[in-house]
Amino acid sequence: MEDLDLIYRQHAQTVYRFLLAKTGSADLAEELTQETFFQAVGSIGRYDGSCKISTWLCGIAKNVLYSHYKSQRNETVSLDDVTERPTRSAEETVLNEMDQQRLLAAIHRLPEPGREIVHLRLLGGLSFRQIGAILSQSETWARVNYYRAKQTLVKEWNEHENKSVL
């Protein structure tokens, strides 16, 4: 039992950040983190050591998340649930929401693995080392693919800005 407690203390934050990046909701990420470890306790005998335990746990977390979404098909997570915003004028609020929606739509259009790396980095706050571990790749691989995805987003953003000016 002490081993499971140690595993939880060492990896709960990584699993939480992974789920936060995927859901955009701190409360939901916390709930799903708990469910992930509950399921991990029940299936610890199937962990064969062929990958890092954090990778195995994030795989369980991904399945827990998919199960949650299947059971909550009509529920959506708003970006407002993720960020607290200071009071703004109506115009500022609308423009900011349009920019956020445009950015999220651009991220959604990114090809994999860039999309997942951007989510993990920007929304989950994970380091490149953690991202590499979760995706069974190196830290350098995560950095290079993040850079490429970021360049794609900047290019798309600038193209949209140029079209708006014309």
Side-chain angles (χ1 to χ4, degrees), residues 1-132:
M1 190 61 155
E2 288 182 31
D3 290 337
L4 293 175
D5 186 46
L6 179 63
I7 290 170
Y8 178 82
R9 283 185 278 134
Q10 289 178 339
H11 301 287
Q13 192 65 23
T14 300
V15 172
Y16 170 77
R17 286 183 175 166
F18 173 78
L19 288 166
L20 181 62
K22 293 290 191 183
T23 64
S25 167
D27 291 336
L28 181 57
E30 180 64 34
E31 179 183 330
L32 296 176
T33 298
Q34 297 304 317
E35 178 64 23
T36 297
F37 279 92
F38 176 76
Q39 288 194 16
V41 167
S43 60
I44 193 73
R46 288 184 288 197
Y47 175 67
D48 62 6
S50 63
C51 62
K52 291 182 178 181
I53 192 119
S54 59
T55 303
W56 180 71
L57 289 168
C58 286
I60 294 172
K62 199 173 200 177
N63 290 333
V64 166
L65 178 62
Y66 290 154
S67 295
H68 170 78
Y69 283 147
K70 284 180 186 176
S71 68
Q72 303 289 318
R73 288 181 195 244
N74 296 329
E75 185 178 316
T76 59
V77 177
S78 166
L79 194 57
D80 293 334
D81 297 336
V82 180
T83 58
E84 299 206 10
R85 298 184 178 149
T87 305
R88 298 185 184 123
S89 70
E91 293 84 5
E92 289 174 324
T93 300
V94 167
L95 289 174
N96 187 49
E97 287 178 1
M98 288 172 59
D99 282 347
Q100 286 179 343
Q101 288 175 351
R102 199 171 106 216
L103 177 59
L104 289 172
I107 291 170
H108 181 72
R109 287 189 297 273
L110 284 172
E112 291 297 347
R115 180 179 351 158
E116 187 161 12
I117 292 170
V118 169
H119 277 129
L120 293 171
R121 181 75 176 161
L122 298 182
L123 299 176
L126 297 179
S127 70
F128 291 114
R129 178 175 289 157
Q130 292 169 316
I131 293 168

